[in-house]
């Protein structure tokens, strides 16, 4: 299985390189749109937890205002990394980019660099990973992905406990065939309706009483 995974990781990087070339006009068009519509700062760069919890710099097209995490305190948002209904932090073009997942395109660079794969558990922010239980941390046993099993089974409309369950299932049942199935289901739902905002209380509760991974 290690050789299969090594080979699959290599194919992921090759696929990312090909996609970056083919999608270059779209990437440039989205970057220009963000620059014109919302000013400087086309990319959003944030430290996320990779495989085994090793931090890496994840790239996205910026879909929220600058300092959105700090702004959440002023708006009374308990979870600075979550969303609220009609979130005022989302930019004019950001809502479309998030709905179509175009904001994720720069992560192909992360895949090419080897810090992510096309499919895997979505990379979480470091403050939340620091509060993982041992069972939660199992999602860190594989590389994070641009899309994943949890994303095609509910995405933002499921809470974190359910995401952990789905991600553990993915880790235990991983295969190239499963990744291809997830990619296919992702392609079918790219231009999806915006899901209802699901306020997640788990990370809010853990922030108030954090616990380290056992």
């Amino acid at each position: 299985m290690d050789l299969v995974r090594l080979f699959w990781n290599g194919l992921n990087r090759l696929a990312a390189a090909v996609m970056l070339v083919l999608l270059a006009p779209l990437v440039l068009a989205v970057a220009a749109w963000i620059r014109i519509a919302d000013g400087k700062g086309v990319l959003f760069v944030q430290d996320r937890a990779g495989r085994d919890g090793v931090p890496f710099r994840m790239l996205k097209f910026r879909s929220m205002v600058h300092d959105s995490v700090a702004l959440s305190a002023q708006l009374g948002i308990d979870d600075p990394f979550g969303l609220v209904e009609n979130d005022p932090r989302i930019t004019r073009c950001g809502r479309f980019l998030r709905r179509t997942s175009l904001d994720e395109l720069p992560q192909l660079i992360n895949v090419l660099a080897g810090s992510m794969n096309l499919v895997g558990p979505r990379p979480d922010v470091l403050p939340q990973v620091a509060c993982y239980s041992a069972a939660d941390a199992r999602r860190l046993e594989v590389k994070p992905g641009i899309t994943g099993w949890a994303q095609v089974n509910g995405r933002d409309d499921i809470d974190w406990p359910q995401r952990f369950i789905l991600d553990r299932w993915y880790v235990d049942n991983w295969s190239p065939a499963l990744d291809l199935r997830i990619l296919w289901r992702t392609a079918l739902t790219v231009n999806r309706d915006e899901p209802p905002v699901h306020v997640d209380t788990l990370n809010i509760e853990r922030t108030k009483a954090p616990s380290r991974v056992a």
Side-chain angles (χ1 to χ4, degrees):
M1 182 60 75
D2 287 341
L3 288 177
V4 173
R5 192 179 292 276
L6 183 64
F7 175 73
W8 193 246
N9 288 345
L11 280 183
N12 270 256
R13 298 175 79 167
L14 177 60
V18 173
M19 292 173 70
L20 281 169
V21 172
L22 295 178
L23 296 174
L26 177 60
V27 170
L28 293 175
V30 172
W33 183 30
I34 297 171
R35 180 65 177 84
I36 294 170
D38 296 309
K40 294 181 179 179
V42 169
L43 290 178
F44 172 73
V45 184
Q46 187 178 56
D47 287 334
R48 297 287 182 102
R51 184 176 181 182
D52 299 325
V54 177
F56 73 99
R57 303 284 278 173
M58 191 195 76
L59 307 176
K60 293 183 70 172
F61 278 128
R62 184 170 62 85
S63 62
M64 304 184 83
V65 298
H66 295 293
D67 299 324
S68 59
V69 173
L71 182 59
S72 63
Q74 300 177 30
L75 297 173
I77 300 173
D78 293 324
D79 181 5
F81 304 108
L83 297 176
V84 296
E85 197 72 31
N86 299 316
D87 201 314
R89 298 169 299 172
I90 298 178
T91 63
R92 288 176 290 177
C93 55
R95 198 167 300 278
F96 174 79
L97 294 177
R98 296 173 73 92
R99 191 179 73 248
T100 57
S101 296
L102 289 174
D103 60 323
E104 313 286 2
L105 282 177
Q107 286 163 46
L108 290 170
I109 298 174
N110 290 124
V111 176
L112 183 60
S115 53
M116 292 179 66
N117 273 345
L118 296 177
V119 178
R122 285 294 297 161
D124 202 358
V125 293
L126 301 183
Q128 292 180 176
V129 171
C131 298
Y132 276 7
S133 68
D136 298 341
R138 292 212 52 227
R139 74 192 302 271
L140 303 175
E141 293 177 9
V142 298
K143 288 184 181 182
I146 298 177
T147 186
W149 186 238
Q151 277 59 51
V152 298
N153 283 282
R155 192 169 172 154
D156 295 329
D157 198 28
I158 55 176
D159 57 20
W160 269 100
Q162 183 63 20
R163 292 188 205 186
F164 287 132
I165 292 172
L166 291 170
D167 286 338
R168 286 196 297 270
W169 186 92
Y170 171 80
V171 170
D172 291 336
N173 294 275
W174 177 83
S175 70
L178 177 60
D179 275 6
L180 290 174
R181 177 184 171 190
I182 293 171
L183 288 170
W184 174 249
R185 288 181 60 179
T186 299
L188 293 177
T189 58
V190 165
N191 191 18
R192 64 192 186 281
D193 292 332
E194 189 171 354
V197 173
H198 188 100
V199 178
D200 199 335
T201 60
L202 177 64
N203 290 315
I204 298 172
E205 294 170 353
R206 286 182 171 181
T207 299
K208 295 177 180 177
S211 60
R212 296 289 177 178
V213 175

